[in-house]
Amino acid sequence: MSLRRTASLVLAILSPATALAAPARKAVASAASAAPWLMALVVGVVAVTAAAGLAVGLWMRIRRREKTLAAVAEAAARLAVGGRAELDPKLGPVAEGFNAMAEQVAEREKRVRHTALHDAETGLPNRFALEWRLTDLGQKGTTGVMLAAVSLDRLHTLRLAIGYEPAGQLLSEVARRLERVMPRWPIGRISSNALGVLFRASDEAAARKIGAAIVATLEAPLTVGGVGLDIDLTVGLAALAPGEQGARATVEHALFAVDQARAAHKRVSLFDAGAYGDPAANLALMSEMVQAIAAGDLQLFLQPRHDMRKGRTHGVEALVRWRHPRLGLLSPDRFVGFAEATGHIRPMTEWVLRQAMEHQSALKLNRHELEMAINVPGRLLSDQAFIEQAITLAAKAEGPIRFDVTEAAVMENPPVAFTTLERFSDAGIGIAIDDYGAGLSYLAHLKRIRADELKIDKAFILDLADSPKDALVVRTTVQLAHSLGMKVTAEGVETDEAYSLLAAMGCDTAQGFLIARPMPFEDLLRYLHEDRTAARRYG
């Protein structure tokens, strides 16, 4: 190939890559007629120059892309923590695409945040939102912060009657009415039937006054769907609790104050820390109780039951105690209720039943044939496995066994309770209705219960000598029970005066501190030995 054709081909290849190609073409054409070595030099210079230009252009494009990627990474980092993220449109299509995505993410984040902090049924701020506000006020050192839990007591019943949507509208209407009297403070939903209202009060008296004002504000009927509805409400008040978990604790305290108010039949109640106790410690206590049964830390105490006609002990009631290695001897009030609530009551009751039968057998060896009374919690009346186990164990007893079942337990589910008590009775187990009168006594149900005995609650016995009303209730109950073929035991007998009155009314059995306190098995043996030598007389 000739030198001229070679030069032309080089220029054709390099012409798109550099702007120097056009002027160089003339130089090459001129040099083509010169010496061959000069032509080769020119071609080499042109090639090097073009390559350098190409490299510079490529480097500039890489730098632009690096800057774009760095900007995207920085914007993405801001977007990840919820910040504003937007790229300069001059960065081209990548910036446009990223900005569109960021806008969509921000909108979705906004919806998620709203959902997380608002109640779906009413649209009101939820518990988390109020806890966040309480935390913020605590961090700012705001003083006198209070939370009122406004509970609609019959909301569940109303919801069944009018439907879920109108019930939600009712809550919203309650919130709107509260906003009119407390416009500057947040209102939100903190439970299925309660609204929370934040406010400030100088002291407890001022807080109670605001609680009473809330009740007064909501006394008038509310209109939902054109229908006027009366509502019953209870208000619990709690001050902002200190600490990192103060906001959550404050809400719990306010809701607990609602329960306290209901128990005391009040419309407004301030949180009582003493009654609240330590839930975390109670939970830990429950986990330890399972181990306590296996470790033998539970102990059975026995309380004598005195036959008022014969003047002698004719039975005992088995009462569980817990010798805690760290807390000492714990009474049933400390753990039995929690055991029933947490599902640990069945193994504990089965332990009591076995232990009571062993004690009854040991008493028989010492020539004391006594009826053994065992408390059966209401929760176990529907537990078929427990029922079968209890009947099997009772069949092996070496003396009469009686199950004490509270009146309230029977009233929780009368049909199931009646069936279970009939099975116990058919198996030869005596039945006593415990704490009679402490709850709502249904005479229509009482006549249907297969029971041998009625135990009058100590609330009617403690002031028997000084209360004509209590005396009337006890006398009437004794007559009623005898008419139904049941014997009567009076619990809480602590004075000779009460004993004399009960004897005059025809009561059959006395049980209480006047007779004897609950005691360990060894102490009971000594007590029964003394009881055998001489009849005990009271009154």
Side-chain angles (χ1 to χ4, degrees):
M1 183 182 293
S2 67
L3 186 60
R4 183 184 298 275
R5 292 184 63 187
T6 301
S8 299
L9 182 58
V10 170
L11 289 174
I13 294 173
L14 296 177
S15 59
T18 175
L20 298 176
R25 193 176 293 114
K26 294 182 180 180
V28 171
S30 175
S33 59
W37 64 267
L38 182 58
M39 183 62 188
L41 178 62
V42 170
V43 171
V45 170
V46 170
V48 171
T49 303
L54 183 63
V56 170
L58 181 61
W59 179 81
M60 292 179 65
R61 285 196 297 272
I62 292 173
R63 287 292 299 163
R64 283 197 298 271
R65 289 184 179 180
E66 286 179 349
K67 289 181 179 180
T68 301
L69 291 174
V72 170
E74 182 181 351
R78 293 197 303 270
L79 187 65
V81 295
R84 182 176 177 79
E86 185 176 358
L87 295 178
D88 187 347
K90 293 180 181 180
L91 294 176
V94 173
E96 294 177 1
F98 182 87
N99 290 341
M101 180 197 69
E103 185 176 350
Q104 294 175 358
V105 170
E107 183 63 29
R108 186 165 61 249
E109 183 78 13
K110 183 179 178 181
R111 292 195 301 268
V112 170
R113 188 181 299 111
H114 183 275
T115 301
L117 296 175
H118 289 79
D119 174 54
E121 185 178 12
T122 62
L124 294 168
N126 61 16
R127 174 169 176 164
F128 298 109
L130 288 188
E131 287 181 358
W132 177 85
R133 185 63 185 274
L134 282 166
T135 300
D136 182 60
L137 292 170
Q139 291 174 346
K140 291 178 179 177
T142 308
T143 59
V145 177
M146 302 287 298
L147 174 66
V150 183
S151 176
L152 277 67
D153 298 336
R154 295 186 298 111
L155 184 61
H156 177 69
T157 303
L158 282 171
R159 187 180 286 117
L160 294 176
I162 66 178
Y164 276 76
E165 184 175 350
Q169 295 173 4
L170 176 63
L171 279 171
S172 299
E173 180 59 33
V174 171
R176 281 191 289 270
R177 188 174 288 187
L178 287 172
E179 286 173 351
R180 288 196 288 268
V181 295
M182 307 181 75
R184 294 179 299 168
W185 289 91
I187 298 173
R189 188 173 185 178
I190 58 176
S191 74
S192 61
N193 64 338
L195 300 179
V197 185
L198 290 179
F199 65 95
R200 292 182 66 185
S202 56
D203 53 29
E204 291 185 1
R208 292 181 187 276
K209 187 175 181 180
I210 292 175
I214 291 174
V215 172
T217 299
L218 298 172
E219 280 185 339
L222 291 91
T223 302
V224 175
V227 178
L229 296 174
D230 291 322
I231 60 172
D232 296 326
L233 67 143
T234 305
V235 177
L237 306 172
L240 176 58
E244 294 183 0
Q245 300 297 320
R248 179 179 298 180
T250 302
V251 177
E252 292 180 359
H253 293 173
L255 292 172
F256 182 77
V258 169
D259 295 334
Q260 289 179 301
R262 288 176 181 153
H265 303 290
K266 296 180 179 179
R267 303 294 294 277
V268 180
S269 182
L270 197 67
F271 172 69
D272 182 354
Y276 184 66
D278 188 350
N282 293 333
L283 188 60
L285 204 63
M286 288 304 96
S287 66
E288 293 176 7
M289 194 187 74
V290 178
Q291 302 171 358
I293 297 176
D297 291 336
L298 295 185
Q299 183 176 358
L300 204 63
F301 276 40
L302 303 162
Q303 185 173 28
R305 305 178 68 248
H306 182 76
D307 187 320
M308 300 181 71
R309 291 182 173 81
K310 297 181 179 179
R312 295 186 180 278
T313 299
H314 71 93
V316 291
E317 180 176 354
L319 301 168
V320 65
R321 299 291 188 267
W322 182 0
R323 290 197 177 278
H324 194 279
R326 181 169 41 86
L327 302 175
L329 185 64
L330 302 180
S331 69
D333 295 340
R334 287 288 305 275
F335 60 92
V336 170
F338 296 121
E340 187 164 4
T342 56
H344 294 95
I345 195 65
R346 178 179 164 184
M348 188 185 74
T349 305
E350 290 178 347
W351 178 89
V352 169
L353 180 55
R354 290 188 178 93
Q355 200 70 15
M357 290 174 57
E358 289 182 11
H359 285 340
Q360 187 181 50
S361 178
L363 287 169
K364 187 175 182 180
L365 290 175
N366 285 274
R367 297 183 296 117
H368 300 294
E369 297 190 15
L370 301 178
E371 181 185 59
M372 184 67 68
I374 299 155
N375 291 286
V376 176
R379 180 170 180 171
L380 298 181
L381 295 179
S382 59
D383 188 329
Q384 294 302 317
F386 170 79
I387 294 169
E388 298 297 336
Q389 178 81 333
I391 291 174
T392 300
L393 290 174
K396 301 175 183 178
E398 297 190 27
I401 295 289
R402 196 188 73 241
F403 288 166
D404 289 1
V405 181
T406 64
E407 174 193 16
V410 175
M411 293 303 103
E412 286 178 6
N413 192 341
V416 172
F418 293 157
T419 301
T420 300
L421 295 181
E422 286 177 3
R423 289 198 62 192
F424 287 154
S425 182
D426 291 340
I429 301 171
I431 303 295
I433 303 304
D434 203 1
D435 298 339
Y436 182 80
L440 186 60
S441 303
Y442 290 101
L443 297 180
H445 287 155
L446 181 61
K447 69 179 183 180
R448 295 178 54 192
I449 299 175
R450 185 89 67 85
D452 313 292
E453 186 175 327
L454 201 64
K455 298 183 71 174
I456 303 175
D457 187 77
K458 64 181 180 181
F460 297 97
I461 307 301
L462 293 176
D463 297 324
L464 186 64
D466 301 318
S467 173
K469 291 183 178 180
D470 286 345
L472 177 61
V473 170
V474 172
R475 182 182 297 108
T476 303
T477 301
V478 170
Q479 294 173 353
L480 173 64
H482 286 167
S483 299
L484 293 173
M486 292 186 283
K487 292 184 177 182
V488 179
T489 294
E491 298 182 294
V493 181
E494 298 185 0
T495 65
D496 286 313
E497 293 82 358
Y499 185 95
S500 297
L501 287 171
L502 289 166
M505 294 175 186
C507 188
D508 302 289
T509 301
Q511 184 176 341
F513 290 172
L514 177 67
I515 310 302
R517 294 176 178 270
M519 62 188 74
F521 178 77
E522 294 76 12
D523 293 344
L524 177 66
L525 285 178
R526 287 190 289 271
Y527 175 89
L528 293 174
H529 177 72
E530 295 173 359
D531 195 41
R532 178 181 292 159
T533 57
R536 297 176 186 271
R537 297 295 178 185
Y538 305 96

